[in-house]
Amino acid sequence: MEKKNIDWANLGFSYMETDKRYVCNYKDGAWEEGGLTDDPMITMSECAGVLQYAQTVFEGLKAYTTEDGHIVCFRPDLNADRLYDSALRLEMPPFPKDKFIEAVKMVVKANDAYVPPFGSGATLYIRPYMFGSNPVIGVKPADEYQFRIFTTPVGPYFKGGAKPITIRVSDFDRAAPRGTGNIKAGLNYAMSLHAIVEAHKAGFDENVYLDPATRTKIEETGGANVLFVDADGNLVVPKSDSILPSITRRSLVYVAQHYLGLNVEEREVYLDEVENFKECGLCGTAAVISPVGKINDHGREICFASGMEKMGPTIQKLYDTLTGIQMGRIEAPEGWIVTVE
């Protein structure tokens, strides 16, 4: 296919409309066939369930051009699993997992001219989402839903290198005990907006949230899971029932154990032990890993030995290995890479 005339090297992380998107409706107790459409607009009732009671869940993944010229997606089956679980938690009809993967492949193939070339640092971001679409005025689940996927080309998350960021311990709670912190619901992100705006005003890049019950343990940030490297070189991963099960985090844990031979501790991580760690990173789809140089705990600075100039050596190895797998430079575990064309 002929690529679109886009300045791939200068793409930002923002929305650009592409040619096709996937749409599928749920009505009368069943999902319809679904298919592609040119129309990027959504028309629905002013009383739609999503507008009244925030009944919506979403996912995020990427398509890449590999070194040998193929277009691939990274572990879409895990996105299908997580969307399924998220829908169940909000009393939404789960979108079938096999149908999810086929829809992702369909919409990426239809927009292959927007998939950035290998070596550009850019990728095609894929956003599957679903929402309650029929009028709902009483507090109850909707009866009808729409599942959609759009794509947009995005640039590399880091322009000019991955400089470590500074984050702060938030006074807000990201999730309630036994709440919705472990699903990818729009409402979780809505509640984080005030906190992130306030963090930016104060000169910080992001918030890190503590456990809502005791406020003594590290959970995650507003949009990413947290990783640490301790003084002995072990990868330390916070564990909690209210942390979103990040696909990137799970992949990095596997890479650490099976590619780099690191010891991994997935456990509760207390704020008062963080000062003993030497590296920190935030992991997610957009950046893979964002290095953290320091954490500000109400004026007390926790500085990591890796510093504020570049990624720490272990975080860098994790980043290089996982991106190498995604781009086809390193052999992937079975099932991780799904070829679109």
Side-chain angles (χ1 to χ4, degrees):
M1 75 294 182
E2 185 177 349
K3 295 292 184 184
K4 296 289 183 178
N5 185 23
I6 295 172
D7 184 3
W8 305 108
N10 291 304
L11 280 174
F13 200 86
S14 58
Y15 174 74
M16 176 189 294
E17 185 181 316
T18 56
D19 294 339
K20 302 286 185 180
R21 62 275 311 138
Y22 179 89
V23 182
C24 186
N25 292 299
Y26 180 90
K27 190 174 182 179
D28 298 326
W31 288 102
E32 66 177 20
E33 180 63 26
L36 298 173
T37 179
D38 298 335
D39 189 1
M41 305 307 291
I42 298 172
T43 301
M44 59 185 169
S45 168
E46 62 186 353
C47 195
V50 62
L51 301 179
Q52 305 309 314
Y53 303 119
Q55 202 180 14
T56 179
V57 295
F58 70 98
E59 278 298 322
L61 65 157
K62 289 179 175 180
Y64 310 82
T65 301
T66 60
E67 197 164 11
D68 60 5
H70 289 293
I71 295 174
V72 304
C73 292
F74 181 71
R75 308 192 78 177
D77 57 313
L78 296 189
N79 294 97
D81 289 342
R82 193 168 61 184
L83 188 81
Y84 193 99
D85 293 340
S86 297
L88 287 177
R89 179 64 176 81
L90 293 191
E91 287 296 326
M92 304 169 75
F95 196 72
K97 297 177 186 179
D98 56 345
K99 196 176 179 75
F100 177 98
I101 295 171
E102 287 307 310
V104 167
K105 293 167 69 175
M106 186 187 302
V107 77
V108 170
K109 190 170 185 177
N111 293 298
D112 59 4
Y114 292 91
V115 181
F118 175 79
S120 65
T123 54
L124 186 73
Y125 185 79
I126 306 161
R127 171 55 61 85
Y129 60 109
M130 59 183 289
F131 54 89
S133 56
N134 70 294
V136 178
I137 196 66
V139 181
K140 68 180 187 68
D143 299 311
E144 297 177 8
Y145 296 84
Q146 188 168 103
F147 171 84
R148 298 177 70 99
I149 304 176
F150 68 80
T151 62
T152 185
V154 296
Y157 197 80
F158 298 120
K159 296 286 188 181
K163 289 290 186 181
I165 62 175
T166 301
I167 63 178
R168 72 170 183 181
V169 176
S170 179
D171 288 326
F172 294 97
D173 289 332
R174 177 187 162 270
R178 296 171 296 280
T180 58
N182 64 339
I183 66 168
K184 204 165 177 67
L187 56 90
N188 293 340
Y189 294 80
M191 64 70 53
S192 74
L193 297 179
H194 174 68
I196 191 62
V197 168
E198 291 299 304
H200 288 166
K201 286 179 180 178
F204 300 102
D205 296 290
E206 179 57 284
N207 294 289
V208 62
Y209 294 97
L210 303 179
D211 72 291
T214 71
R215 295 193 56 78
T216 61
K217 292 172 280 192
I218 296 287
E219 292 241 310
E220 63 174 300
T221 68
N225 282 187
V226 185
L227 304 170
F228 298 101
V229 179
D230 70 14
D232 296 320
N234 303 310
L235 186 67
V236 181
V237 183
K239 185 177 182 180
S240 164
D241 290 339
S242 56
I243 291 177
L244 184 74
S246 164
I247 294 163
T248 304
R249 185 203 75 210
R250 285 178 277 171
S251 301
L252 287 167
V253 165
Y254 185 93
V255 163
Q257 293 172 320
H258 299 277
Y259 283 70
L260 302 180
L262 300 178
N263 181 53
V264 178
E265 299 177 6
E266 294 190 75
R267 61 173 176 82
E268 293 181 335
V269 176
Y270 287 84
L271 176 61
D272 62 10
E273 67 175 307
V274 170
E275 63 187 0
N276 299 316
F277 297 148
K278 63 181 183 180
E279 295 180 48
C280 177
L282 311 183
C283 60
T285 299
V288 180
I289 306 180
S290 304
V292 175
K294 56 186 174 182
I295 298 175
N296 187 294
D297 178 17
H298 300 86
R300 180 177 71 97
E301 287 195 339
I302 302 170
C303 299
F304 297 101
S306 51
M308 292 297 296
E309 293 301 315
K310 61 182 180 179
M311 284 188 179
T314 302
I315 295 290
Q316 186 71 61
K317 288 177 185 176
L318 287 166
Y319 175 85
D320 291 343
T321 306
L322 187 58
T323 54
I325 289 170
Q326 291 171 336
M327 293 295 178
R329 295 189 298 269
I330 297 173
E331 186 175 355
E334 185 176 356
W336 278 29
I337 303 298
V338 172
T339 301
V340 175
E341 61 178 35

